[in-house]
Amino acid sequence: MKFSCEIEIYAPLEQVAALWFDESNNKHWQDGFESSKFVTGVKNEVDSKSILSYNKGKMILEETILLYNYPLEKKGLYEHKHMSNTQHTKFKDLGNNKTLYLSEVDYIAFHHFMPRLLFKLFPSMFKKMSMKWMKQFKAFAEK
């Protein structure tokens, strides 16, 4: 399942990218975010890995960097015991202190019955969650 979302942010590209790429800011816009722990490789280089923790450790994701081109884009593989997806985030300067924030998500595997069922019953749920976080980031970046 692939989808993309985009939103315009009323702030310059440099400011938007600095906020988004700084993982310590995730708690301000990603519900339940607790921590990011670097595990292996060279931080922010292809094939480096981190562990992301959400909701008091109830959701743990392994992030593998597939592409890192600050301040314009980042692509990662996110693996969870129930599913795996890639996310390619891009930023584009629109001029006049506006930035386009684009996210392309591809759920490549469901490893458990429940996510498969949710996808079949509520296919738009995954896109709505991504869009919710993008709107929350927009509010954070514009304040």
Side-chain angles (χ1 to χ4, degrees):
M1 172 181 79
K2 292 182 183 182
F3 62 85
S4 63
C5 304
E6 63 180 55
I7 195 165
E8 285 186 16
I9 297 175
Y10 296 94
L13 172 69
E14 296 78 19
Q15 176 185 329
V16 170
L19 292 170
W20 191 89
F21 279 88
D22 181 351
E23 294 170 345
S24 70
N25 288 324
N26 290 3
K27 64 184 176 230
H28 299 293
W29 58 279
Q30 289 185 8
D31 299 335
F33 179 82
E34 291 176 332
S35 65
S36 174
K37 181 182 176 191
F38 178 70
V39 214
T40 186
V42 176
K43 186 143 177 79
N44 296 326
E45 287 195 11
V46 172
D47 294 329
S48 64
K49 293 183 186 291
S50 296
I51 300 295
L52 309 176
S53 178
Y54 294 82
N55 301 321
K56 299 181 179 157
K58 292 180 183 171
M59 185 169 83
I60 303 293
L61 299 176
E62 180 180 83
E63 174 191 58
T64 303
I65 302 296
L66 303 175
L67 172 70
Y68 192 92
N69 181 21
Y70 180 86
L72 300 176
E73 62 186 329
K74 176 183 175 183
K75 184 174 184 178
L77 169 65
Y78 299 89
E79 296 177 285
H80 179 269
K81 64 183 178 182
H82 294 152
M83 65 185 83
S84 298
N85 70 283
T86 60
Q87 181 169 352
H88 191 172
T89 301
K90 301 176 187 177
F91 298 101
K92 181 179 180 187
D93 186 349
L94 297 176
N96 298 320
N97 290 322
K98 287 195 306 189
T99 302
L100 179 66
Y101 171 16
L102 173 68
S103 179
E104 298 168 344
V105 180
D106 185 5
Y107 281 88
I108 54 178
F110 293 102
H111 313 297
H112 191 266
F113 171 74
M114 188 54 78
R116 247 183 263 138
L117 179 63
L118 288 173
F119 169 68
K120 289 195 184 289
L121 295 176
F122 308 103
S124 65
M125 179 180 76
F126 295 91
K127 185 173 183 174
K128 284 180 183 177
M129 173 120 137
S130 289
M131 199 64 216
K132 177 186 175 193
W133 282 11
M134 291 177 80
K135 287 177 180 177
Q136 289 174 181
F137 177 76
K138 173 185 169 70
F140 171 66
E142 289 179 347
K143 70 176 181 173

